[in-house]
């Protein structure tokens, strides 16, 4: 039977939208509630299951760190739409900038006629990216598109075909970036063949390094160097690396790994591309995560938090590399859309006006560590609390071992969802619970959510 939901059915009314959203967890039904369940039943008749869902609630409003669902539940948002709404959901300055731009014009296509917003975003990203050299920025729409373009630009610059990526890497769902992504199911299953010329090197993941955490960096670097020798340095255009791995498990590489990759790539004339799509734009307490290690990559890819929820991505890098592609070689109909650029300028104002939001990220790390680190000894199933700033995670393993325990991680996430706390899992073995709150979340709201999470971990042990 068709469970059609008429498109005219009232959802959040205009009057309701004008009200501020109370920044408090409020549960008025079970989660998901009856209205969300009804809408989900409708969705399953029209949208394929390929689009998996973390938590099947239908959101009608969002503000700051709260998502309000169709049943009126106020959920604490520890996902930020996967690290996108870092300045807070529907930040008033972002909303105002988008409204103003929409009233002026919504689209021209930058390849047809130009507009200021694009050049202004480029100028600001050129200033933000590490290094004093001259830079250029090209804008695109999605993270995957930025990565694909970084590879195209590196190939054009070096005249070399191959790309090196890392274990646990995630770079997107398009066919090239899927080939670069490490995890097989569910991302890659059924979609082969992938483009050739992609090589994978170990990532210095201290917790799971076979010969001990202290060997992770030197041995991973030695493997990287050996891979380059095997393939031939004059065949490798780029090495693409996440300064902190996202989907792969919120893995902070052992100290010195990124600097080592920089030294080796530089020695071989390989373009080093930092994939800052998830970790960048203030998330870790610095504008870019690679700044924590003081490393200067050749190209930087940003997306997600860059435009606070509007689709926008960027490749920023050395002018001499960026300028190798001839006119017409880069672009896309929506690449650098004016609404997204307007949103990005508002986001950059928020992140750069003073240090407040970056400081908030560091405060979030402090609160997460205070609440969750005791669970390592207390429960025995939390192998590690790790991350930087507002990009934190706990890895769930079988008690006293380093064997990943995905079912328990899933159970903990489900318990949080039922209590109105939106958490995500990640990791090559799906056993990592990650926390990506908006940077504007209050201490009270975050501590409420961390309390729910800690109870869920205790109950699951
Ligand atoms: N690089 C480091 O984290 C996107 C993936 C969600 P797009 N991560 C969220 C999903 O399951 O599809 C991501 C990332 C890093 C690239 C990307 C790709 O960014 O905007 O999703 O294309």
């Amino acid at each position: 039977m068709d469970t059609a939901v008429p498109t005219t059915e009232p959802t959040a009314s205009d009057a309701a939208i004008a009200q501020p959203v109370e920044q408090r967890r409020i549960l008025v039904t079970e989660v998901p509630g009856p209205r969300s369940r009804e809408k989900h039943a409708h969705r399953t008749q029209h949208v394929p299951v390929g689009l998996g869902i973390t938590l099947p609630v239908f959101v009608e409003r969002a503000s700051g760190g709260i998502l309000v669902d169709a049943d009126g539940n106020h959920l604490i948002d520890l996902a930020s739409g996967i690290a996108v709404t870092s300045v807070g959901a529907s930040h008033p300055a972002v909303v105002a900038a988008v409204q103003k731009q929409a009233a002026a014009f919504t689209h021209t296509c930058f390849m047809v006629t130009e507009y200021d917003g694009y050049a202004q975003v480029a100028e600001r990203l050129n200033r933000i990216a590490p290094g004093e050299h001259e830079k250029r920025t090209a804008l695109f729409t999605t993270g995957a598109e930025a990565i694909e373009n970084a590879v195209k630009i590196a190939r054009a610059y070096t005249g070399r075909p191959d790309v090196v990526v890392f274990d646990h890497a995630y770079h997107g769902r398009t066919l090239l970036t899927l080939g670069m992504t490490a995890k097989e199911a569910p991302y890659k299953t059924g979609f082969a063949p992938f483009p050739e010329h992609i090589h994978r090197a170990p990532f210095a993941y201290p917790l799971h390094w076979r010969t001990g955490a202290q060997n992770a960096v030197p041995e991973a670097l030695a493997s990287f160097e050996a891979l380059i020798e095997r393939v031939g340095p004059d065949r490798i255009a780029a090495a693409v690396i996440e300064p902190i791995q996202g989907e792969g498990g919120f893995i902070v590489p052992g100290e010195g790994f990124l600097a080592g990759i920089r030294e080796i790539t530089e020695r071989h004339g390989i373009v080093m591309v930092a994939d800052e799509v998830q970790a960048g734009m203030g998330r870790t307490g610095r504008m870019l995560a690679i700044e924590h290690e003081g490393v200067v990559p050749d190209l930087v890819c940003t997306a997600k938090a860059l435009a606070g929820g509007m689709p926008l991505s960027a490749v920023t890098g050395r002018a001499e590399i960026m300028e190798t592609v001839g006119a017409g070689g880069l672009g896309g109909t929506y690449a650098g859309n004016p609404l997204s650029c307007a949103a990005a300028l508002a986001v950059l104002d928020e992140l750069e006006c003073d240090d407040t939001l970056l400081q908030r990220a560091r405060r979030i790390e402090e609160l997460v560590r205070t609440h969750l680190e005791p669970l390592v000894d207390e429960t025995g199933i939390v192998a590690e609390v790790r991350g930087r700033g507002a990009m934190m995670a706990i890895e769930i393993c079988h008690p006293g071992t380093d064997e990943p325990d995905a079912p328990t991680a899933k159970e903990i996430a489900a318990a949080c969802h039922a209590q109105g706390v939106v958490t995500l899992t990640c990791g090559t073995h799906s056993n990592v619970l990650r926390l990506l709150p908006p940077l504007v979340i209050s201490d009270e709201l975050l501590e409420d959510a961390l309390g729910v999470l800690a109870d869920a971990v205790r109950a699951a042990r």
Side-chain angles (χ1 to χ4, degrees):
M1 199 185 73
D2 192 36
T3 56
V5 174
T7 49
T8 51
E9 181 186 327
T11 53
S13 68
D14 291 353
I17 287 174
Q19 297 298 316
V21 173
E22 204 179 336
Q23 294 295 301
R24 194 164 66 84
R25 183 167 59 104
I26 304 170
L27 297 183
V28 293
T29 68
E30 71 277 23
V31 179
R35 293 203 58 190
S36 276
R37 290 203 299 270
E38 186 190 332
K39 288 170 185 290
H40 184 73
H42 166 253
R43 165 223 132 110
T44 57
Q45 294 176 346
H46 302 285
V47 181
V49 292
L51 291 126
I53 304 295
T54 298
L55 173 57
V57 303
F58 278 68
V59 170
E60 295 196 341
R61 288 200 66 193
S63 172
I66 291 287
L67 306 174
V68 185
D69 73 14
D71 294 281
N73 298 301
H74 281 47
L75 313 174
I76 303 180
D77 186 6
L78 297 188
S80 300
I82 322 190
V84 171
T85 52
S86 294
V87 296
S90 298
H91 189 287
V94 174
V95 172
V98 171
Q99 283 173 338
K100 190 169 163 212
Q101 180 58 49
F105 63 95
T106 56
H107 177 80
T108 68
C109 184
F110 193 73
M111 301 178 305
V112 179
T113 52
E114 301 171 300
Y115 40 89
D116 251 349
Y118 190 117
Q120 284 170 7
V121 172
E123 181 188 354
R124 291 181 72 164
L125 288 173
N126 290 344
R127 206 162 57 224
I128 286 166
E132 295 307 312
H133 49 271
E134 201 177 332
K135 294 169 213 142
R136 298 283 186 274
T137 288
L139 299 178
F140 302 98
T141 309
T142 66
E145 224 186 335
I147 300 295
E148 294 240 354
N149 277 281
V151 171
K152 284 165 63 179
I153 293 163
R155 282 181 175 167
Y157 174 67
T158 57
R160 305 171 180 177
D162 290 19
V163 179
V164 179
V165 291
F166 293 85
D167 288 339
H168 312 289
Y170 184 94
H171 297 296
R173 291 181 183 268
T174 58
L175 279 170
L176 172 62
T177 57
L178 255 193
M180 296 165 66
T181 289
K183 189 171 175 174
E184 182 61 32
Y187 303 130
K188 300 168 86 154
T189 311
F191 301 141
F194 302 107
E196 295 172 6
H197 303 285
I198 298 166
H199 311 275
R200 200 169 299 283
F203 192 83
Y205 185 175
L207 181 67
H208 290 292
W209 199 261
R210 278 178 196 286
T211 60
Q214 73 285 359
N215 296 327
V217 171
E219 291 182 11
L221 288 174
S223 299
F224 181 67
E225 183 105 51
L227 172 71
I228 290 173
E229 291 307 329
R230 203 161 59 243
V231 176
D234 57 349
R235 291 193 56 80
I236 303 174
V240 183
I241 189 164
E242 295 158 88
I244 297 178
Q245 290 187 319
E247 304 302 310
F250 277 35
I251 306 165
V252 182
E255 204 185 327
F257 184 59
L258 295 168
I261 297 294
R262 173 67 287 188
E263 189 275 313
I264 296 166
T265 48
E266 194 160 9
R267 185 149 37 80
H268 294 294
I270 296 167
V271 175
M272 179 177 178
V273 181
D275 178 348
E276 293 265 2
V277 168
Q278 187 154 170
M281 303 319 294
R283 172 61 46 193
T284 67
R286 299 279 184 93
M287 281 303 272
L288 297 173
I290 201 155
E291 291 172 32
H292 291 282
E293 299 267 333
V295 170
V296 179
D298 299 304
L299 302 180
V300 177
C301 296
T302 51
K304 290 189 183 279
L306 173 59
M310 297 297 290
L312 188 70
S313 64
V315 181
T316 302
R318 287 181 192 282
E320 79 213 57
I321 300 176
M322 296 295 293
E323 295 288 15
T324 32
V325 180
L330 300 173
T333 306
Y334 294 112
N337 170 269
L339 299 183
S340 300
C341 289
L345 292 171
V347 167
L348 289 166
D349 282 346
E350 289 303 313
L351 290 174
E352 290 194 299
C353 71
D354 55 39
D355 205 23
T356 314
L357 281 181
L358 300 185
Q359 269 173 33
R360 279 303 304 164
R362 299 194 279 270
R363 169 73 180 153
I364 288 166
E365 172 169 356
E366 196 181 298
L367 285 175
V368 169
R369 289 195 182 279
T370 305
H371 284 261
L372 302 185
E373 276 176 350
L375 297 174
V376 174
D377 288 338
E378 185 190 329
T379 68
I381 63 172
V382 177
E384 191 170 55
V385 178
R386 64 170 176 253
R388 288 195 203 271
M391 183 172 185
M392 299 296 295
I394 58 176
E395 176 160 351
I396 306 298
C397 290
H398 291 285
T401 72
D402 60 359
E403 279 168 53
D405 184 355
T408 301
K410 196 171 170 190
E411 184 186 324
I412 296 166
C416 291
H417 297 164
Q419 291 301 314
V421 176
V422 182
T423 56
L424 301 171
T425 55
C426 65
T428 298
H429 304 291
S430 309
N431 66 322
V432 179
L433 275 140
R434 57 172 152 170
L435 311 180
L436 289 165
L439 308 184
V440 293
I441 196 169
S442 67
D443 283 8
E444 297 71 43
L445 202 54
L446 180 60
E447 290 191 292
D448 181 22
L450 291 172
V452 169
L453 172 58
D455 286 348
V457 174
R458 289 190 189 100
R461 106 184 100 156

